[in-house]
Amino acid sequence: MFKKILIANRGEIACRVIKTARRMGIATVAVYSDADARAPFVKMADEAVHIGPAPAAESYLIADKIIAACKQTGADAVHPGYGFLSERTSFAEALAQENIEFIGPPIGAIAAMGDKIESKKLAMEAGVNVVPGFVGEIEDTEHAVRISQEIGYPVMMKASAGGGGKGMRLAYCEKDVREGFEATRREGHNSFGDDRVFIEKFILNPRHIEIQILGDKHGNIIYLNERECSIQRRHQKVVEEAPSPFVTPQMRKAMGEQCVALAAAVDYHSAGTVELIVSGADPSGESFYFLEMNTRLQVEHPVTEAITGVDLVEQMIRVAAGEPLSMTQDDVTIDGWSIENRVYAEDPYRGFLPSTGRLVEYEPPVEPWADDGTANGRRGVDGIRVDDGVFEGGEVSMFYDPMIAKLITWGETRNAAADLQVQALDAFGIQGLGHNVDFLSAIMQHDRFRSGDLTTGFIAEEYPDGFEGAPASGHLQRGLAAIAGVIATANADRARRIDQQLNGRNAPPGDWSVTLDGRDYAVALEEDGITVDGVLIDLEMEYTPGDRMVDVVLDAEGLTIQLALTRAGYAITTRGASHDLRILPAHIAPLAQHIIEKIPPDLSKFLICPMPGLLVKLHVGEGEEVQPGQPLATVEAMKMENILRAEKQGVIAKVNSAEGESLAVDAIILELE
């Protein structure tokens, strides 16, 4: 077994590998950039080596620096995590030349599966179902248009070396191909150093199913069931679960056996994932097609660990050390259900724009996951597991992935796992930057999610006009109004205790007018209970003025609320939405109608940068007339290109920014007359 492992990665996956290595008695080495000098994974490792500036291209992506760190510390193996160098054959080859073990698959398998064009050819030869498309290199935009017309719209354009949702564009017509082909090439080149693009048919009502593969160096390969990853936004996974509510035992066997055959065709060992696209319109499940094989550990691996009890990181280490698998296909079972939500630094209320900055507050619902070596332990604390790599006071940087944490839950049933997600998301305390916790909670409560009727278009179909928070039932609204009354009374009671008040210590008011979601509620606190509009509310809570997170029992149902003080009351966040509550004493509330509302300024003539990013391209110049929907500028943020379009007809009066300029959020790019 290895004596010392270097983790060529950062953040939560570095923490994840370190925890398992520590349990196995293996020393660990972290490498870090300037931006990660105070990160938890650096402190957690036995040794840490600085490898350069914050940009990944100057630190984590430089293989020579990783190898130098191995020599400096005496590490005899490297775990690459995911992303960065995890699927680069040149890195695995360089390690082999230095007699440093790569904890991953063989070089040939990485090369074969890393090229989407070549992998598709291999899949066809191995008898794996493949999506109809053009297998070959595409010369230019005109060539792409001809191919797309031959395949038939809609089509998907993909960077050959792409992954993680980057370098992908969906085209429904020739105009989409002409607009998106070059952008796809640029994203492929910028993210992966390869601008080749291929085009394939887009499957309608698609479900994204993936099969977890595990093999050793002795020719044994098994599959550890499937994961459903259909809920995606811009081709990036948001929710993952295992097993899939769509896959039957027969489908699982057919998919698994084809994926094992593909892995065997490239002499695969270590952990890997074969991604499939399945037609949700075909209930037989026979319409599944090979998408790609990821020759590394997946972000969503914990849900597989939760239902199978197999520690995938430990197995990767043991396989790399030459040990045979300790299990066979017959040993693989399914115990319960597991769901993973990716908590991102992005603002769903502003079109999911990236939100970088400092974590002023970070309080996960349970302690971050600790590897105790047991199958039950891999399910976290009472079925709730948090995998993270951030800390309170730390920064979510623009240089890396915007993930804050992964929240994994396990339950006996799918609904039980989803209920735990809602409970845990309510108790997830994050302040200082935008995050998607409300959005994730809304998905977990959505009727369509609960029914299992999922496709990769779920988010676009269910939130076509953006996200405004999960809808609150009338029962919850009345409960929040009652909670507001309790809070207001407690605050008034504290205020009256201040000495030397002019009118003495009057009793705190018990009658309140609470405005919530556009409706007024009459709340009364009396000796025999709390009423809202005359209806008795069963409410239990302990609140001390200043509390920002409070546990509540509303009509025998547990609820966690988060509070933020506003000018006229509180913002209460719970169950996937933030509600602004205006709270006024009942005798003062009628006067509120005389307050003049402030009218926001008209900003429609400005093109405002919606996120921090790099201005990659200006599509127009001063004096040019533009039409609604016309591209005006392209801004790159978090390695993704975002096209900003005209909202109305007009003439460009002034251009305030230049291509190549770094823009702050709300910076004015150009002005219309």
Side-chain angles (χ1 to χ4, degrees):
M1 182 51 67
F2 306 117
K3 294 181 179 179
K4 187 180 291 186
I5 293 175
L6 182 144
I7 298 94
N9 218 298
R10 61 175 300 280
E12 63 87 14
I13 186 56
C15 294
R16 166 73 183 89
V17 176
I18 290 169
K19 289 173 183 177
T20 292
R22 176 184 294 166
R23 175 177 57 78
M24 297 175 68
I26 303 171
T28 56
V29 179
V31 291
Y32 65 94
S33 69
D34 291 345
D36 285 331
R38 297 173 57 229
F41 76 93
V42 176
K43 298 178 181 179
M44 190 181 297
D46 297 299
E47 299 175 70
V49 179
H50 177 252
I51 55 171
E58 300 175 38
S59 52
Y60 295 106
L61 287 171
I62 299 181
D64 289 345
K65 291 187 175 183
I66 305 296
I67 292 172
C70 288
K71 292 180 178 179
Q72 177 184 331
T73 58
D76 51 351
V78 169
H79 195 300
Y82 40 71
F84 292 149
L85 300 171
S86 62
E87 293 179 284
R88 290 204 180 178
T89 54
S90 58
F91 178 55
E93 288 169 346
L95 289 175
Q97 290 173 3
E98 299 293 340
N99 293 319
I100 301 170
E101 190 67 35
F102 179 71
I103 302 177
I107 295 169
I110 300 174
M113 293 295 109
D115 186 319
K116 286 185 171 61
I117 295 173
E118 293 304 315
S119 65
K120 192 170 184 179
K121 293 178 181 177
L122 275 169
M124 293 171 66
E125 293 171 2
V128 180
N129 303 340
V130 297
V131 180
F134 180 80
V135 182
E137 292 188 37
I138 300 171
E139 299 165 5
D140 53 27
T141 300
E142 294 303 324
H143 190 196
V145 169
R146 292 197 302 273
I147 291 168
S148 300
Q149 291 172 343
E150 290 170 4
I151 296 173
Y153 294 105
V155 298
M156 180 69 79
M157 297 177 289
K158 295 183 181 181
S160 181
K166 297 181 179 66
M168 299 175 68
R169 289 289 191 285
L170 180 59
Y172 287 95
C173 59
E174 179 179 332
K175 178 175 176 286
D176 293 343
V177 176
R178 293 189 181 280
E179 283 189 4
F181 180 73
E182 288 301 327
T184 305
R185 292 185 80 162
R186 281 197 302 271
E187 284 186 5
H189 181 269
N190 293 340
S191 296
F192 311 104
D194 186 341
D195 67 354
R196 291 177 302 155
V197 174
F198 73 102
I199 299 177
E200 63 186 14
K201 180 73 175 175
F202 181 72
I203 305 300
L204 296 175
N205 299 325
R207 298 181 78 116
H208 187 115
I209 308 291
E210 57 189 34
I211 300 292
Q212 176 67 59
I213 294 294
L214 184 62
D216 61 25
K217 295 180 179 179
H218 306 277
N220 303 305
I221 304 176
I222 60 175
Y223 62 93
L224 281 74
N225 307 314
E226 80 285 349
R227 296 184 287 258
E228 170 108 31
C229 309
S230 294
I231 297 184
Q232 305 177 3
R233 194 185 67 80
R234 295 187 66 176
H235 311 299
Q236 292 209 340
K237 300 165 188 172
V238 177
V239 181
E240 299 102 354
E241 59 181 305
S244 163
F246 181 72
V247 174
T248 64
Q250 294 77 18
M251 291 167 60
R252 183 174 299 119
K253 186 173 186 294
M255 291 176 176
E257 289 177 351
Q258 281 199 18
C259 294
V260 167
L262 177 61
V266 291
D267 297 323
Y268 200 87
H269 64 250
S270 192
T273 296
V274 180
E275 301 199 352
L276 306 169
I277 192 165
V278 184
S279 174
D282 181 4
S284 72
E286 295 178 358
S287 301
F288 65 87
Y289 305 99
F290 169 77
L291 273 181
E292 62 182 342
M293 183 174 189
N294 293 313
T295 55
R296 54 171 169 79
L297 192 68
Q298 293 280 92
V299 176
E300 57 272 24
H301 72 274
V303 294
T304 295
E305 295 183 330
I307 66 165
T308 63
V310 177
D311 186 324
L312 287 169
V313 172
E314 177 182 349
Q315 292 302 315
M316 290 181 74
I317 294 172
R318 294 193 180 281
V319 165
E323 295 184 14
L325 294 181
S326 59
M327 69 201 80
T328 66
Q329 191 64 59
D330 292 338
D331 296 324
V332 178
T333 58
I334 297 178
D335 181 10
W337 214 286
S338 185
I339 300 173
E340 174 180 297
N341 275 307
R342 301 189 187 191
V343 180
Y344 279 134
E346 61 183 16
D347 191 346
Y349 294 102
R350 295 188 64 194
F352 299 93
L353 296 177
S355 179
T356 57
R358 193 163 303 283
L359 277 168
V360 176
E361 176 186 330
Y362 178 70
E363 186 178 350
V366 296
E367 287 296 315
W369 176 71
D371 186 358
D372 66 358
T374 67
N376 193 55
R378 291 181 197 107
R379 296 169 178 166
V381 180
D382 297 326
I384 300 174
R385 169 176 165 177
V386 175
D387 282 18
D388 63 17
V390 300
F391 65 102
E392 190 166 279
E395 187 175 359
V396 176
S397 168
M398 64 178 288
F399 296 105
Y400 312 120
D401 187 278
M403 184 184 290
I404 298 172
K406 300 186 314 196
L407 177 65
I408 305 102
T409 56
W410 177 90
E412 295 285 351
T413 64
R414 186 170 183 266
N415 278 341
D419 289 342
L420 268 182
Q421 281 284 343
V422 176
Q423 173 188 323
L425 288 163
D426 275 352
F428 219 127
I430 301 173
Q431 298 289 334
L433 42 70
H435 57 79
N436 65 341
V437 166
D438 283 358
F439 180 63
L440 297 174
S441 180
I443 292 175
M444 294 296 99
Q445 300 171 68
H446 201 289
D447 289 342
R448 181 174 165 190
F449 173 79
R450 291 297 179 119
S451 73
D453 179 21
L454 311 179
T455 70
T456 55
F458 177 93
I459 291 175
E461 293 160 7
E462 298 302 324
Y463 303 97
D465 301 320
F467 178 70
E468 297 179 351
S473 65
H475 169 261
L476 179 58
Q477 289 176 323
R478 289 189 295 273
L480 293 179
I483 290 168
V486 172
I487 291 171
T489 300
N491 289 337
D493 184 54
R494 185 180 69 167
R496 79 183 182 89
R497 297 176 187 276
I498 298 173
D499 286 339
Q500 301 179 6
Q501 297 193 56
L502 292 177
N503 294 324
R505 296 185 177 181
N506 296 323
D511 294 331
W512 301 92
S513 175
V514 178
T515 303
L516 166 65
D517 296 340
R519 179 178 171 183
D520 295 331
Y521 295 87
V523 180
L525 275 70
E526 302 169 350
E527 290 186 5
D528 55 351
I530 305 169
T531 62
V532 175
D533 293 340
V535 178
L536 190 66
I537 302 295
D538 184 6
L539 176 66
E540 298 177 30
M541 61 181 288
E542 291 186 11
Y543 169 76
T544 301
D547 286 350
R548 294 201 294 180
M549 188 177 293
V550 182
D551 290 327
V552 175
V553 178
L554 177 62
D555 290 336
E557 180 184 357
L559 198 67
T560 299
I561 63 170
Q562 298 191 38
L563 304 172
L565 187 64
T566 63
R567 291 179 62 188
Y570 276 90
I572 297 183
T573 302
T574 190
R575 290 297 188 266
S578 182
H579 305 270
D580 286 320
L581 287 81
R582 188 187 69 184
I583 310 171
L584 296 172
H587 66 283
I588 293 176
L591 303 177
Q593 62 183 310
H594 301 293
I595 299 175
I596 299 174
E597 291 189 15
K598 184 178 180 180
I599 300 175
D602 180 12
L603 300 176
S604 62
K605 71 174 184 177
F606 300 109
L607 179 65
I608 297 174
C609 187
M611 73 208 83
L614 180 71
L615 182 57
V616 176
K617 188 173 180 60
L618 275 171
H619 300 279
V620 294
E622 291 184 4
E624 188 173 337
E625 184 175 349
V626 297
Q627 301 296 326
Q630 181 177 337
L632 301 180
T634 299
V635 176
E636 181 185 286
M638 296 289 186
K639 300 181 180 179
M640 298 288 283
E641 289 191 359
N642 304 271
I643 298 176
L644 307 182
R645 302 177 184 273
E647 294 185 358
K648 64 179 184 179
Q649 182 179 358
V651 176
I652 305 299
K654 183 180 179 182
V655 176
N656 299 332
S657 305
E659 290 183 1
E661 186 177 339
S662 292
L663 303 176
V665 64
D666 293 334
I668 297 175
I669 300 174
L670 52 81
E671 303 176 27
L672 280 72
E673 291 182 355

